[in-house]
Amino acid sequence: MNSPSNNAGSEAGADLIASIEATIREALAVIRPSASSLGGDEDLAQAADLDSAEVMDLIMEIEDRLDLSIPVETTAQARTINELCAGIVQLKRSVS
């Protein structure tokens, strides 16, 4: 049985994930408006037709919106919105 404190932690985690995903989608809408409705598991660069400069613009837009620096390793490992979101969640949790 979950205690109220466990539920609060789960809700906070879900809120963080939802907030980061929304931020990624908002940043993507700035770079490529037609791609903001991509599925979470679609290849971000391919499905959104982003070249390497646009990918870097996207990362910088996300960094500005979240006020954090995303390591190159996180960017290189993330091919989808879901993977990028998970990498940023992990990063935010490690700096909190």
Side-chain angles (χ1 to χ4, degrees):
M1 185 164 142
N2 285 335
S3 69
S5 62
N6 285 345
N7 288 339
S10 296
E11 288 173 18
D15 288 346
L16 177 63
I17 292 167
S19 172
I20 290 172
E21 181 178 348
T23 300
I24 292 169
R25 290 185 181 282
E26 289 166 6
L28 185 57
V30 169
I31 306 302
R32 185 64 51 113
S34 63
S36 62
S37 63
L38 285 179
D41 289 326
E42 290 185 75
D43 185 290
L44 193 52
Q46 185 177 16
D49 193 28
L50 300 176
D51 63 27
S52 57
E54 290 169 321
V55 170
M56 292 312 301
D57 288 344
L58 174 63
I59 296 303
M60 290 188 311
E61 185 73 29
I62 294 167
E63 289 175 332
D64 288 348
R65 290 170 180 263
L66 295 176
D67 192 29
L68 62 85
S69 179
I70 301 171
V72 174
E73 307 83 54
T74 300
T75 305
Q77 293 171 357
R79 309 268 320 151
T80 67
I81 290 175
N82 290 347
E83 290 171 351
L84 183 56
C85 185
I88 295 170
V89 167
Q90 184 177 6
L91 178 64
K92 286 193 73 76
R93 287 182 175 158
S94 70
V95 297
S96 302

